[in-house]
Amino acid sequence: MVRHGGCEQAEDDHLSAPAGGTLEAVRLLVVEDEARLAAALQRGLQAEGFAVDVAATGPAGLDAARHGGYDAMVLDVMLPGLSGYELVRRLRAEQVWLPVLMLSAKDGEYDQADGLDCGADDYLTKPFSYVVLLARLRALLRRGAPERPTVLSLGDLRLDPARRRVTRADAEVALTAREYALLDYLIRRPGQVVSKTELLDHVWDASLETAPNAVEVYVGYLRRKIGRERLETVRGAGYRLTTP
């Protein structure tokens, strides 16, 4: 069952929308079984100009995502009936490319990697900042919902998100979780210059303190494994993954 906009006000007020500015009206689906959090999210997002529907179970969320014509979805991981991981995995298997921001109290880096590998576009851990949630939704909506192939490739370099497997010229490449996340982000943007700031925002956890040279260090690690010539430094701008 999906609850449409205009729900009663929740007791929590910590997610009320910040003052100033409105967003272009778009349709959002929130799939969250914690009633107070779901209502607070709905209220805050509606105050920003979104049209928001809420589903409280995995099966209800899956059905709404398939047929509701939404622009993006905010998806909890631990849901009755069907987990958020399985929900988004089924959507991607059906070629449904609805942008998904996953919410979870599971804050380990492997938990986040699992969510992204299942097909989610972003992952935010609870408790979270409403301001950050809103900014990430804006970013998802700007990117839209491009189709994503099952296996990502650039030249003879291949990355299989479902199996977390990377090969180079058909030989398997062993990567750490961070190296994998870095390659995954870059291979989805072939030939594009990606700044260090963008990599820090999307590959590293914003809630954790990160060393200033973390990107350079992991770019170095990745180059040793996939070939230095594939990952270019564009001075003053960032990095670019190319075919040698």
Side-chain angles (χ1 to χ4, degrees):
M1 177 178 175
V2 175
R3 186 169 74 252
H4 297 278
C7 71
E8 63 181 6
Q9 187 167 352
E11 293 176 24
D12 285 351
D13 287 329
H14 68 284
L15 287 177
S16 59
T22 58
L23 295 174
E24 180 182 354
V26 295
R27 299 189 66 221
L28 295 181
L29 174 63
V30 173
V31 187
E32 169 63 63
D33 65 324
E34 186 183 334
R36 292 174 66 186
L37 176 57
L41 281 168
Q42 186 176 46
R43 184 178 69 250
L45 292 168
Q46 284 174 338
E48 291 291 335
F50 292 110
V52 185
D53 294 338
V54 174
T57 69
L62 179 61
D63 184 65
R66 283 168 169 161
H67 308 298
Y70 295 99
D71 296 291
M73 174 167 60
V74 178
L75 175 66
D76 188 27
V77 170
M78 305 300 290
L79 293 166
L82 188 71
S83 75
Y85 293 146
E86 183 60 25
L87 191 159
V88 76
R89 187 180 291 115
R90 292 189 189 183
L91 289 178
R92 300 316 187 217
E94 296 168 12
Q95 307 291 299
V96 177
W97 306 113
L98 174 69
V100 175
L101 171 59
M102 192 166 272
L103 296 180
S104 178
K106 302 173 74 172
D107 59 359
E109 62 179 23
Y110 287 102
D111 297 314
Q112 297 179 50
D114 286 343
L116 297 172
D117 288 343
C118 286
D121 299 274
D122 202 353
Y123 191 109
L124 190 59
T125 57
K126 301 176 182 177
F128 56 86
S129 159
Y130 181 84
V131 173
V132 173
L133 171 72
L134 194 60
R136 292 195 177 188
L137 277 174
R138 288 193 190 105
L140 281 186
L141 292 165
R142 282 196 300 269
R143 293 200 294 267
E147 292 189 10
R148 284 161 281 189
T150 304
V151 177
L152 304 165
S153 63
L154 185 63
D156 63 359
L157 189 64
R158 286 174 172 73
L159 183 147
D160 183 342
R163 299 169 64 193
R164 289 186 61 79
R165 184 170 183 262
V166 174
T167 60
R168 175 188 172 193
D170 296 325
E172 189 155 356
V173 180
L175 299 179
T176 67
R178 187 74 68 196
E179 292 163 355
Y180 177 91
L182 179 59
L183 178 60
D184 181 88
Y185 193 80
L186 291 168
I187 202 169
R188 294 177 189 274
R189 294 154 183 82
Q192 298 180 28
V193 177
V194 180
S195 71
K196 182 168 78 170
T197 300
E198 184 177 347
L199 291 171
L200 283 170
D201 286 346
H202 291 274
V203 178
W204 274 261
D205 188 340
S207 66
L208 300 178
E209 207 169 307
T210 303
N213 67 336
V215 174
E216 291 92 333
V217 169
Y218 277 89
V219 164
Y221 293 158
L222 190 56
R223 278 175 171 152
R224 291 177 204 144
K225 295 182 177 182
I226 67 169
R228 187 168 300 275
E229 71 284 356
R230 298 171 189 267
L231 186 45
E232 300 176 354
T233 298
V234 180
R235 191 171 298 277
Y239 303 96
R240 177 168 52 209
L241 191 67
T242 63
T243 52

